[in-house]
Amino acid sequence: MANRKVCVIGGGPAGIMAAYSASISGKDVVLIEKNEKIGKKLYITGKGRCNITNSASVGGFIENTMRNPKFLYSAFNAFKNSDLKDLLELNGLFLKEERGGRIFPVSDKSNDVNRAFERILNGRGIDIWLNTKVNDITLNKNGNVNVISNGDKHLFDSVVIATGGESYPLTGSTGDGYFFAQKLGHTVTKGILH
């Protein structure tokens, strides 16, 4: 049986990790990003230095998750903060720990974090399509997914919508994923963070 072809829409941190995870599961992956580069939101985290993660234990993450922390328990255990640190360091990014357990690149440059993620994706053979806006997603009779972008139709076995919310339009988070999810039959509920 041939490798399944997966499309990940959105090249932010969630999309980068979704593409990486799909690739290590043996999938052929295309990552579509409408911006000119992946990880645009990473540039503004930690005041431009990129606060990558925290050195807290899984229990510490659970304690500090405001809504439904038990839901994230298995995810926190499947890929720990130490796994992320190891992955980045194996790809040439040196890290340091600061007050409160915050983890930053030694260089204090978010661009170095993005470059490490680019090396990771390229090393996994992930096809990255930049400056590519997804206009529509449809399902065909065989259960495959048609992704229409820049006027072209592309066929995939599955799709991951990792476009983020409407939080930072300048970074590309314009809420496109809500439209795609609803169109594919999902219910979108407006939530309030406390």
Side-chain angles (χ1 to χ4, degrees):
M1 184 174 169
N3 283 356
R4 293 179 55 82
K5 194 164 184 181
V6 176
C7 176
V8 177
I9 303 171
I16 291 168
M17 292 309 295
Y20 170 74
S21 296
S23 75
I24 63 173
S25 297
K27 310 293 188 290
D28 292 327
V29 183
V30 172
L31 174 62
I32 299 178
E33 171 55 46
K34 68 181 173 182
N35 288 307
E36 71 285 358
K37 56 189 164 192
I38 62 166
K40 201 161 184 181
K41 205 177 279 186
L42 289 173
Y43 285 98
I44 60 174
T45 64
K47 297 180 182 174
R49 298 189 307 138
C50 194
N51 183 352
I52 298 165
T53 187
N54 193 284
S55 64
S57 66
V58 170
F61 278 101
I62 295 292
E63 288 171 16
N64 288 290
T65 301
M66 298 176 81
R67 294 180 65 180
N68 196 10
K70 289 181 182 177
F71 174 75
L72 294 173
Y73 188 80
S74 62
F76 284 144
N77 277 294
F79 191 82
K80 296 179 179 67
N81 50 358
S82 58
D83 298 325
L84 177 60
K85 288 168 48 182
D86 290 346
L87 178 65
L88 290 169
E89 288 179 335
L90 283 170
N91 285 277
L93 184 69
F94 298 102
L95 303 174
K96 63 181 176 179
E97 183 173 336
E98 293 189 3
R99 178 180 46 84
R102 296 173 301 153
I103 305 296
F104 289 95
V106 167
S107 67
D108 285 329
K109 294 179 182 174
S110 58
N111 193 42
D112 290 341
V113 178
N114 260 354
R115 274 187 259 180
F117 278 125
E118 287 171 359
R119 285 190 293 274
I120 291 165
L121 297 178
N122 290 330
R124 297 291 318 160
I126 294 166
D127 197 4
I128 303 170
W129 299 355
L130 300 174
N131 297 306
T132 304
K133 180 172 175 30
V134 173
N135 307 105
D136 200 7
I137 301 172
T138 60
L139 297 176
N140 67 24
K141 294 176 192 172
N142 299 329
N144 294 328
V145 182
N146 297 306
V147 175
I148 295 89
S149 62
N150 297 351
D152 297 318
K153 185 190 295 187
H154 309 278
L155 184 66
F156 296 94
D157 295 300
S158 58
V159 66
V160 176
I161 301 171
T163 57
E166 297 177 297
S167 57
Y168 292 101
L170 292 175
T171 64
S173 294
T174 55
D176 299 349
Y178 298 141
F179 167 75
F180 299 139
Q182 282 181 314
K183 189 167 189 305
L184 295 172
H186 295 283
T187 301
V188 175
T189 305
K190 295 224 177 220
I192 299 173
L193 295 177
H194 298 275

